[in-house]
């Protein structure tokens, strides 16, 4: 089977939730927060892949890639759009002073793992002035992680492994770019956990393939299916 970070993470959080989403085909409607974050990701991908690096082209990308779904009313959407405009003006200023060379935006990787295939999409890969590679993950919420949290970030470690195995890129730096907050947190990448992560990806893929979908109550309070799941402890 193909296994992405999202599939891996959700299965490890709760196999029953995985079943709802990927076996039963259930969908979670976008709310305003999710729509805002997805819009910013779409805008940055479009702009970074283009040849025009002006602020005007970034603003054009916002107009063309903005998602209007998920907002309770027009006023809420207008406030979110105005916030996105402010965020992107600041992002453009920061980007103009950055010395790194863009290697790829929404860079896809794939690599075989036994009978499975691991796939993913990295928000951004940069090459720093000293030649080292930096993996960047965009976050659009208000919170800013600590360096320790970035070092332990499962998504970035999954992507670093994917960049190495699927793209031949050895990441030296992991960065969370909190675009809404205007903060970047970077740490050196420690590859010592790659063997354990690889083994756990295999174990998760094997379990999914075998149809092992037992419930896990740990994430019930924030699960979108908590009201209907028969195993939920947070109805």
């Amino acid at each position: 089977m193909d296994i992405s970070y999202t599939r891996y993470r959700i299965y490890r959080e709760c196999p029953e939730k995985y079943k709802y989403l990927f076996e039963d085909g259930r969908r979670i409607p976008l709310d305003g927060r999710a729509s805002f974050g997805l819009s910013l990701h779409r805008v940055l991908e479009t702009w970074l892949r283009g040849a025009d690096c002006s602020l005007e082209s970034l603003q054009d990308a916002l107009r063309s890639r903005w998602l209007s779904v998920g907002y309770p009313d027009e006023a809420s959407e207008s406030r979110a759009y105005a916030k996105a405009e402010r965020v992107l003006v600041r992002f453009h200023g920061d980007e103009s002073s950055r010395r790194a060379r863009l290697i790829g935006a929404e860079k896809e990787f794939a690599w075989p793992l036994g009978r499975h295939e691991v796939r993913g999409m990295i928000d951004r890969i940069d090459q720093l002035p000293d030649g080292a590679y930096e993996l960047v993950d965009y976050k659009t919420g208000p919170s800013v992680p600590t360096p320790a949290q970035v070092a332990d970030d499962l998504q970035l470690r999954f992507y670093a492994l994917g960049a190495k195995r699927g793209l031949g890129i050895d990441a030296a730096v992991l960065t969370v770019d909190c675009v809404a907050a205007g903060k970047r947190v970077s740490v050196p990448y420690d590859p010592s956990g790659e063997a354990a992560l690889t083994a756990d990806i295999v174990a998760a893929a094997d379990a999914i393939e075998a149809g092992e979908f037992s419930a896990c109550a740990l994430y019930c309070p924030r699960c979108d299916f908590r009201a209907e799941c028969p195993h939920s402890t947070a109805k």
Side-chain angles (χ1 to χ4, degrees), residues 87-160:
V87 165
L88 292 174
V89 167
R90 181 175 57 207
F91 178 88
H92 185 268
D94 293 341
E95 189 71 12
S96 299
S97 62
R98 199 159 290 144
R99 297 175 58 207
R101 181 171 70 92
L102 177 67
I103 299 299
E106 292 295 325
K107 187 71 173 177
E108 187 175 9
F109 64 80
W111 55 284
L113 183 58
R115 65 177 180 273
H116 309 298
E117 185 159 76
V118 184
R119 293 184 172 272
M121 194 88 74
I122 302 168
D123 283 348
R124 178 171 181 160
I125 303 176
D126 282 347
Q127 189 169 32
L128 301 174
D130 64 359
Y133 290 101
E134 175 187 31
L135 303 190
V136 181
D137 188 48
Y138 290 123
K139 301 295 185 187
T140 57
S143 61
V144 178
T146 65
Q149 288 171 325
V150 174
D152 290 337
D153 188 284
L154 181 60
Q155 185 173 13
L156 277 169
R157 292 192 290 111
F158 189 102
Y159 288 169

Side-chain angles (χ1 to χ4, degrees), residues 17-18 46 58 64 94 119 140 144 146-147 175 206:
K17 182 178 180 179
Y18 180 98
T46 298
L58 184 55
S64 65
D94 293 341
R119 293 184 172 272
T140 57
V144 178
T146 65
T175 295
D206 285 347

Side-chain angles (χ1 to χ4, degrees), residues 167-193:
L167 301 173
I169 292 176
D170 288 311
V173 179
L174 304 181
T175 295
V176 169
D177 190 337
C178 304
V179 292
K183 303 288 185 181
R184 286 169 57 95
V185 184
S186 301
V187 298
Y189 172 56
D190 178 4
S192 61

Side-chain angles (χ1 to χ4, degrees), residues 11 14-16 18-19 203-204 206-215:
Y11 187 80
C14 179
E16 186 75 11
Y18 180 98
K19 181 177 181 296
D206 285 347
I208 292 168
E209 198 174 51
E212 298 175 8
F213 300 119
S214 58

